[in-house]
Amino acid sequence: MNLPILNTLASLVQDQKVAVPSDPTAEGTYWFPVQASTLAEKSDWTFYYIYWVSAFFTALIVAAMVFMAIRYRYRKGVWEGEASPGHSWTLEITWSIIPFLLTIVMWWSGFKSYMYSDTVPPDAYTIQVTAQQWSWEFEYPNGAKTYKELHLPVDTDVTFVMKSKDVIHGFWIPAFRVKKDVVPGRYTKTWAHPTMEGQYTLFCTEYCGTNHSQMMVQVTVEDQDSFDKWVAAQADPSAGLTDVEYGKQIWSQQCIACHSNDGSVVIGPSWKGTWGTEREFEDGSSAIMDENYILNSIVDPNSQLVKGYPPAMPPYKDLSQDQVDGLIAYIKSLGN
Amino acid sequence: MDTHHNDHGSDHGDGSNYLNATSGIWSWMFTIDHKRIGVMYTFGTIGAMMLGGLFALLVRLNLWVPDGVFDNNTYNQFFTLHGAVMVFLFVIPGIPGALGNFVLPLMLGAKDVAFPKINLLSLWLWAIGALFFVAVLVTGGIDTGWTFYTPYSVTNDSSMVFAVLGAFILGFSSIFTGLNFIVTVHRMRPKGMGWFNMPLFVWGIYSTAVIQVLATPVLGITLLMLAVEKMAGLGIFDPSLGGDAVLFQHFFWFYSHPAVYIMILPAMAIISELMATFSRKKVFGYTLVAYSSIAIAAFGFLVWGHHMFTSGQSAWAGLVFSTLTFSISIPSAIKVFNWLSTMYKGSVRLDTPMWYALAFLWMFTIGGLTGMFLGTMGTDVHLHDTYFVVSHFHYVMVGSIMFAFFGGLHYWWPKMFGKMYNEFMGKLGAVLIFLGFNVTFFPQFVMGSRGMPRRYANYLPEFQELHQVSTVGAFILGIGVAVGVWTLFSSIFLGKKAPDNPWGGTSMEWETATPPIEHNFHDTPSVKPVYDFSPLVYNEATGNWDRIAEESGDNHG
């Protein structure tokens, strides 16, 4: 479908650049977070166009209303309005045609920016996104997986191929103006071309249950070199880390939702000060918190359930030996 | 001046009216009098509004601090119940049930609606539906959002079957009301009242009734499928059972978008009456306003996909829905311009109902214009599921529909109960509601566009300031509603006796006694040209607008 007249009309107005800041150091405007993708400029233009049209008509209507309420206010004994035409085709056609023309511009420029965001570039860098209640998983082409953060290279087309393990989620990065639902049973795709290095937030926007509001992840846009280094390090997550650091990293991604490191109880027991102590179990037996106990608790958690806690933990059989070592080292470091 | 009656000679002669003609609880519960049914709807829907409002205040209270005051699950139940109670128990049935029932037959000079017993059934179904929502509360609540999106609603192990069946039953209440009004308007107009001699309130209620009858069954079928899926494990919407998650959204919005017009058309209908009566002029471009109601009703069926621009729906389908959405903005704009022009060279009286009507014009303008940001595909991608959307539909549902409902209540209240309310308190309520509403919702536009998603129990600290302003506004709004409701209800006991026609309305409900007699009219009033204000003159002594006797005969015996 090609409507050149509309295209010209939209681009005519579009060239006039309505108050959209393009300063890269800007912190966002009154209405928007910073524009950090190529889509942002396009979609914001349409927003500001509608905004000014709306502001103008709101002012016009309210001014006319106030003026007439005062000018034609009731005066004692005036029981009926003055005679005036009951309708006027000239007026009525005018105020049908003008809104019609104004809306065509917003309709068309909105469609153009929508098509831009919906047309995924074929050779873009691809990140697999998996959503579940209530976390995100990002898998990069080199096999690296991250959970608590998403890194993107600046000035590069990035495609997100998304699926959900349970209910519908929504993938939204306001600074990019990118949003797409993540639907179980099918793949959905969206893409972005980040234009500015910085830290942004990714939100879940389709209501998905109890902790919907906690499905937020930090997005870091960085230069290609830093990104390459980072993504390589994620593929070999223990590189350059001590066992304790590695263990803490795994904890912060996969265990933190139930096990604290400071003594507070979330769902399962805290790890603080447990190393080497005697643990009492629901069935009355007990064991010392050592390497073998930790290994067993990871692969078969309910066989030695600590007294007073629910059998809520699923077995984590796909952790590598390095990862288990890391967790043991980390728990050890939390003292006894 | 030559008048043919005053307000003392217009009742039955023995002082009996529809309120006191019979007494006892059964005379109300099994009444088939449209006026009593309207009064019960009025009390019921106002009660539902207060309950929904209480949940709203709890929602706003939670959002005072970024971490929330309640736990996530409690908050999620609050916003779900707020939405479900407001939409299904108040906004959809409110104006047609309360004011439509009371006023429509009177406006047509009829003794009742076409099917008085079905009318009673509607009310009963409403009450049963309301009981199902009480059952939801008692059995642990639901946290799906009022939209019941699958597959979350299917995998949800809470008492959502009650909610779904409640909404299903309320749907039938709505269908029966619509059916009744369609037949009433077609068959019971008095001799001489053609379609274009009907008050615009009748046009609006009629358009609404058409949507109620045609769209609501789809909701019924959808909710039934959802209940079957949940109880029998049949795969319709749940992908893990082989269903399609997005299919539900198509079905749901195929009803729920037209439902927006089920809500707004009666509100517009009230505004047409108020603008005419208080400007003392016929509504400018009457014919176009009448046709625009029908146009809005018809287009309303074809725009549902604009709720789904980010769902993975095809871009070309989206383009069609966007186009049709804009086509509906034109008749809405026409109505606003016509209402405004009605004031031109009028004699504008600023009584309480008119305050609500003018506030409606302003709020509906904002609600309608912000709809364009969401009907435009490109901008909707960013704004979808944010507070911008929340704010937009509250400007329509509260700023427009609730304002019109209050305007209508203040307009017809003296007719319903025979008492005038305190004018100062009425205006105070209107001002507080207007202020509170805008302080609550305007910041939400800004929040949403800046990046605040909806249905979040907790949020990033950068949004706290705007959330707090919004919460303060909500409590002002709550006080305003309390003042408004108190003003009306207290008038029943404290108010001065109301004359037959305190505002100078031209339609037939103002020609009968206040409150009306049980059978509405002794003799059907003669049909006069619609919105002809010339025979009405204000009588300082009685506060009544007397009709100068141009024709012979006394309508009130």
Side-chain angles (χ1 to χ4, degrees):
Chain A
M1 183 170 146
N2 189 18
L3 296 175
I5 301 174
L6 295 178
N7 249 325
T8 322
L9 190 59
S11 57
L12 255 182
V13 199
Q14 209 149 348
D15 285 342
Q16 293 173 7
K17 284 275 175 204
V18 185
V20 183
S22 52
D23 174 10
T25 60
E27 295 216 316
T29 59
Y30 184 76
W31 284 98
F32 280 113
V34 71
Q35 292 182 330
S37 79
T38 47
L39 173 63
E41 276 180 44
K42 294 172 194 292
S43 119
D44 290 3
W45 182 87
T46 317
F47 181 96
Y48 282 110
Y49 170 75
I50 306 173
Y51 177 78
W52 287 113
V53 168
S54 302
F56 172 76
F57 277 96
T58 308
L60 182 77
I61 287 167
V62 173
M65 179 176 96
V66 171
F67 170 76
M68 289 197 281
I70 296 169
R71 170 69 181 78
Y72 301 113
R73 69 188 175 278
Y74 171 77
R75 290 182 174 86
K76 245 188 170 171
V78 182
W79 294 313
E80 192 193 3
E82 255 179 79
S84 61
H87 85 115
S88 148
W89 282 118
T90 320
L91 264 181
E92 284 166 290
I93 288 171
T94 308
W95 66 47
S96 306
I97 296 285
I98 291 176
F100 176 73
L101 294 177
L102 289 170
T103 55
I104 281 186
V105 177
M106 47 188 90
W107 167 77
W108 185 248
S109 78
F111 178 60
K112 285 206 315 183
S113 76
Y114 183 86
M115 286 312 281
Y116 181 78
S117 74
D118 204 55
T119 311
V120 176
D123 51 352
Y125 184 82
T126 302
I127 296 175
Q128 304 282 336
V129 179
T130 307
Q132 70 182 88
Q133 290 167 320
W134 293 278
S135 63
W136 297 95
E137 179 194 288
F138 307 100
E139 188 179 346
Y140 299 81
N142 66 353
K145 284 184 184 177
T146 61
Y147 303 88
K148 291 286 167 190
E149 56 181 341
L150 170 65
H151 280 234
L152 302 172
V154 73
D155 290 329
T156 307
D157 292 343
V158 184
T159 300
F160 304 97
V161 177
M162 307 188 286
K163 58 187 182 294
S164 165
K165 285 187 178 171
D166 38 48
V167 302
I168 303 177
H169 300 275
F171 175 96
W172 183 35
I173 304 172
F176 297 170
R177 317 291 190 264
V178 164
K179 186 181 289 138
K180 197 79 174 181
D181 289 1
V182 185
V183 183
R186 67 170 68 160
Y187 290 98
T188 54
K189 284 190 199 181
T190 190
W191 75 287
H193 184 105
T195 53
M196 219 169 89
E197 292 175 30
Q199 309 265 317
Y200 313 104
T201 312
L202 159 69
F203 297 91
C204 176
T205 49
E206 193 63 64
Y207 176 69
C208 60
T210 309
N211 291 335
H212 170 54
S213 56
Q214 270 131 37
M215 272 182 78
M216 286 187 264
V217 169
Q218 183 151 79
V219 180
T220 304
V221 174
E222 56 197 346
D223 64 72
Q224 190 70 48
D225 281 353
S226 319
F227 175 76
D228 288 343
K229 270 185 211 142
W230 178 85
V231 82
Q234 300 304 311
D236 182 9
S238 62
L241 297 180
T242 64
D243 272 2
V244 172
E245 287 163 348
Y246 185 40
K248 183 169 187 182
Q249 183 185 329
I250 299 162
W251 166 77
S252 70
Q253 291 166 346
Q254 298 188 52
C255 316
I256 193 171
C258 300
H259 299 285
S260 79
N261 66 354
D262 61 2
S264 62
V265 174
V266 188
I267 290 170
S270 173
W271 292 351
K272 186 182 167 68
T274 51
W275 179 256
T277 59
E278 183 160 340
R279 310 294 282 166
E280 287 187 17
F281 304 127
E282 282 288 332
D283 61 7
S285 63
S286 66
I288 298 291
M289 180 86 154
D290 62 4
E291 288 86 348
N292 279 319
Y293 170 72
I294 292 173
L295 176 61
N296 185 58
S297 299
I298 292 170
V299 296
D300 190 7
N302 296 332
S303 65
Q304 289 177 308
L305 192 62
V306 176
K307 211 172 184 159
Y309 290 93
M313 180 171 160
Y316 282 76
K317 289 186 175 159
D318 56 352
L319 288 188
S320 69
Q321 194 59 55
D322 277 356
Q323 289 173 307
V324 175
D325 288 351
L327 286 172
I328 291 170
Y330 181 56
I331 291 172
K332 216 169 171 175
S333 76
L334 294 171
N336 51 15
Chain B
M1 127 198 359
D2 184 17
T3 63
H4 75 292
H5 68 75
N6 61 36
D7 64 322
H8 300 298
S10 55
D11 59 22
H12 224 191
D14 58 1
S16 93
N17 58 51
Y18 81 102
L19 291 168
N20 63 16
T22 51
S23 62
I25 183 149
W26 301 115
S27 80
W28 281 84
M29 286 186 70
F30 292 105
T31 182
I32 52 169
D33 181 349
H34 70 98
K35 298 183 291 305
R36 284 192 169 193
I37 290 171
V39 165
M40 285 187 280
Y41 261 117
T42 304
F43 290 174
T45 50
I46 287 177
M49 177 191 76
M50 306 282 258
L51 179 65
L54 180 70
F55 287 124
L57 291 181
L58 290 168
V59 162
R60 286 309 327 165
L61 184 65
N62 182 71
L63 296 170
W64 185 255
V65 287
D67 287 338
V69 175
F70 309 107
D71 64 75
N72 291 359
N73 192 40
T74 309
Y75 173 81
N76 295 342
Q77 301 210 0
F78 286 159
F79 80 67
T80 299
L81 287 163
H82 163 66
V85 168
M86 283 298 197
V87 169
F88 293 115
L89 290 174
F90 168 57
V91 188
I92 289 177
I95 297 176
L99 297 172
N101 262 318
F102 189 92
V103 177
L104 185 86
L106 288 170
M107 275 189 166
L108 298 175
K111 289 196 194 307
D112 209 316
V113 291
F115 306 115
K117 285 177 188 158
I118 292 182
N119 202 17
L120 179 64
L121 180 62
S122 288
L123 176 71
W124 274 89
L125 288 176
W126 182 88
I128 294 168
L131 285 180
F132 270 82
F133 278 85
V134 173
V136 170
L137 277 176
V138 175
T139 57
I142 50 166
D143 73 335
T144 61
W146 76 276
T147 47
F148 305 125
Y149 268 20
T150 56
Y152 181 64
S153 56
V154 183
T155 55
N156 198 278
D157 57 354
S158 54
S159 55
M160 82 131 220
V161 172
F162 283 114
V164 165
L165 291 178
F168 178 78
I169 290 166
L170 289 167
F172 273 94
S173 167
S174 186
I175 292 170
F176 288 145
T177 300
L179 179 76
N180 230 329
F181 288 165
I182 290 176
V183 179
T184 306
V185 172
H186 273 274
R187 305 297 302 162
M188 299 181 71
R189 274 174 293 129
K191 254 203 171 83
M193 185 187 279
W195 283 85
F196 290 94
N197 205 21
M198 299 194 307
L200 284 165
F201 184 76
V202 179
W203 269 105
I205 294 288
Y206 177 77
S207 325
T208 308
V210 172
I211 316 178
Q212 285 177 306
V213 170
L214 293 181
T216 318
V218 179
L219 176 75
I221 295 161
T222 310
L223 294 177
L224 213 54
M225 285 196 279
L226 192 56
V228 168
E229 176 158 54
K230 182 148 172 66
M231 292 186 296
L234 200 65
I236 302 168
F237 306 121
D238 185 354
S240 66
L241 300 170
D244 184 325
V246 178
L247 179 66
F248 177 84
Q249 297 179 26
H250 280 285
F251 284 164
F252 181 82
W253 290 114
F254 187 84
Y255 165 73
S256 294
H257 199 83
V260 172
Y261 301 103
I262 292 179
M263 307 177 207
I264 193 72
L265 281 169
M268 293 170 158
I270 290 174
I271 298 307
S272 293
E273 293 304 311
L274 299 184
M275 291 307 295
T277 300
F278 292 95
S279 301
R280 315 234 38 87
K281 274 179 73 83
K282 181 171 179 171
V283 171
F284 184 81
Y286 169 97
T287 319
L288 209 54
V289 174
Y291 276 130
S292 67
S293 294
I294 299 291
I296 288 171
F299 284 135
F301 280 100
L302 304 172
V303 301
W304 79 89
H306 69 208
H307 294 269
M308 299 167 61
F309 287 152
T310 67
S311 70
Q313 168 182 266
S314 121
W316 297 105
L319 180 67
V320 173
F321 285 122
S322 176
T323 311
L324 290 161
T325 302
F326 274 110
S327 69
I328 217 165
S329 68
I330 306 297
S332 309
I334 289 174
K335 277 185 189 275
V336 170
F337 290 132
N338 279 287
W339 287 322
L340 263 183
S341 313
T342 304
M343 292 163 76
Y344 175 70
K345 291 198 174 179
S347 175
V348 180
R349 293 171 61 89
L350 292 173
D351 296 311
T352 305
M354 188 61 166
W355 284 42
Y356 280 107
L358 295 181
F360 171 99
L361 276 191
W362 188 345
M363 297 299 101
F364 179 69
T365 298
I366 294 179
L369 289 170
T370 52
M372 299 196 306
F373 293 85
L374 305 170
T376 302
M377 300 168 80
T379 39
D380 180 69
V381 170
H382 178 65
L383 300 171
H384 178 76
D385 270 331
T386 68
Y387 267 76
F388 192 95
V389 176
V390 174
S391 186
H392 157 70
F393 71 70
H394 279 89
Y395 266 84
V396 177
M397 293 201 186
V398 184
S400 309
I401 296 161
M402 200 187 84
F403 279 39
F405 182 61
F406 269 68
L409 277 180
H410 283 80
Y411 182 58
W412 282 298
W413 193 267
K415 181 57 72 179
M416 294 171 96
F417 297 100
K419 293 293 177 63
M420 298 302 288
Y421 50 84
N422 182 310
E423 189 66 26
F424 172 79
M425 292 299 286
K427 284 174 180 156
L428 179 69
V431 168
L432 285 173
I433 290 173
F434 179 81
L435 275 180
F437 170 76
N438 281 291
V439 173
T440 309
F441 288 104
F442 202 83
Q444 296 189 4
F445 284 126
V446 185
M447 242 191 273
S449 189
R450 283 186 190 174
M452 174 73 215
R454 69 190 283 201
R455 295 177 169 172
Y456 262 37
N458 23 60
Y459 55 86
L460 296 177
E462 67 202 69
F463 296 112
Q464 185 173 15
E465 207 173 301
L466 288 167
H467 269 301
Q468 290 191 337
V469 173
S470 184
T471 298
V472 169
F475 281 86
I476 299 173
L477 176 58
I479 293 167
V481 168
V483 169
V485 170
W486 186 85
T487 304
L488 290 174
F489 279 85
S490 64
S491 76
I492 296 176
F493 308 102
L494 308 172
K496 282 188 305 184
K497 186 178 174 355
D500 286 357
N501 191 355
W503 316 117
T506 56
S507 39
M508 289 185 185
E509 78 271 25
W510 304 110
E511 291 188 43
T512 185
T514 283
I517 57 169
E518 206 179 355
H519 298 296
N520 295 353
F521 304 95
H522 292 292
D523 309 295
T524 309
S526 61
V527 177
K528 300 154 192 85
V530 70
Y531 301 120
D532 176 14
F533 290 92
S534 57
L536 290 166
V537 291
Y538 188 64
N539 182 335
E540 292 276 358
T542 60
N544 190 54
W545 287 78
D546 298 328
R547 193 172 273 278
I548 302 165
E550 283 167 351
E551 58 268 298
S552 60
D554 187 333
N555 294 326
H556 301 287

